[in-house]
Amino acid sequence: MNHVRLETRDGFLIRIDFGVLQRSKVIQHMCQYSTAENAYKELILPVHGINHDVLLKILLWMEYHKGDEEPAWVQSKDEPADIERHIDDWDKEFLREKLATVRAIMKGADYLDIPWLVKLCARKLRIRGSAELYLRILGTIAPLD
């Protein structure tokens, strides 16, 4: 299986090299359960939690970081004091978007289970701290009164 097609919420089909998708734990899990008879066919995976425009941005990020090792700070609960040194210039430029777009990318990265991109977006949105803050910004729990 060299290529996978992703079907977005708004009905677009995006064909992508499977190697690019290794950052997404959700995509890996979906492909793991493909049947043997589909091994020689190109898979169509539903990613109905994301519109095509946001998915294209996420795929661009995954393509850039395809061979990179996930930084240690991604798995850490506490953000290092010198975090700016650990974020490369490409990522900073990638997130130079309207905050609504960064939030949409963050939601999409959360949907696809890409912790590194979620944390980069959270950093851009100036969210630090607990998982509850991440969930609140993603809109999955109600805000505090």
Side-chain angles (χ1 to χ4, degrees):
M1 169 179 24
N2 293 334
H3 289 87
V4 176
R5 289 191 293 172
L6 304 174
E7 183 180 17
T8 63
R9 174 186 340 187
D10 49 355
F12 284 79
L13 286 174
I14 299 171
R15 187 173 187 255
I16 189 77
D17 179 6
F18 180 72
V20 172
L21 300 172
Q22 294 299 315
R23 290 263 170 237
S24 170
K25 295 173 186 172
V26 167
I27 299 290
Q28 287 177 10
H29 190 71
M30 290 169 84
C31 289
Q32 181 180 12
Y33 290 102
S34 66
T35 62
E37 71 182 46
N38 287 333
Y40 299 105
K41 295 180 183 178
E42 191 170 83
L43 290 176
I44 298 176
L45 302 175
V47 287
H48 296 153
I50 306 173
N51 285 332
H52 78 282
D53 53 342
V54 173
L55 182 59
L56 288 172
K57 290 179 186 304
I58 292 170
L59 292 174
L60 176 66
W61 183 88
M62 290 195 311
E63 174 71 33
Y64 180 80
H65 288 291
K66 185 167 109 175
D68 297 344
E69 188 173 321
E70 186 176 83
W73 62 266
V74 173
Q75 297 302 323
S76 173
K77 286 188 177 192
D78 299 319
E79 189 175 271
D82 60 345
I83 187 69
E84 288 299 318
R85 259 184 19 150
H86 298 286
I87 299 174
D88 71 23
D89 292 337
W90 190 93
D91 284 331
K92 291 175 187 174
E93 186 63 33
F94 173 77
L95 291 174
R96 195 168 287 179
E97 296 272 354
K98 293 179 182 177
L99 293 182
T101 302
V102 174
R103 195 166 75 231
I105 293 170
M106 185 175 170
K107 280 183 163 185
D110 181 60
Y111 177 79
L112 293 173
D113 197 2
I114 309 170
W116 184 0
L117 185 53
V118 170
K119 282 200 166 185
L120 282 173
C121 292
R123 174 76 181 132
K124 170 71 176 189
L125 295 169
R126 302 286 190 241
I127 301 168
R128 295 185 183 102
S130 72
E132 184 179 350
L133 289 174
Y134 288 116
L135 295 173
R136 192 171 302 114
I137 195 66
L138 290 170
T140 55
I141 62 174
L144 295 174
D145 292 327

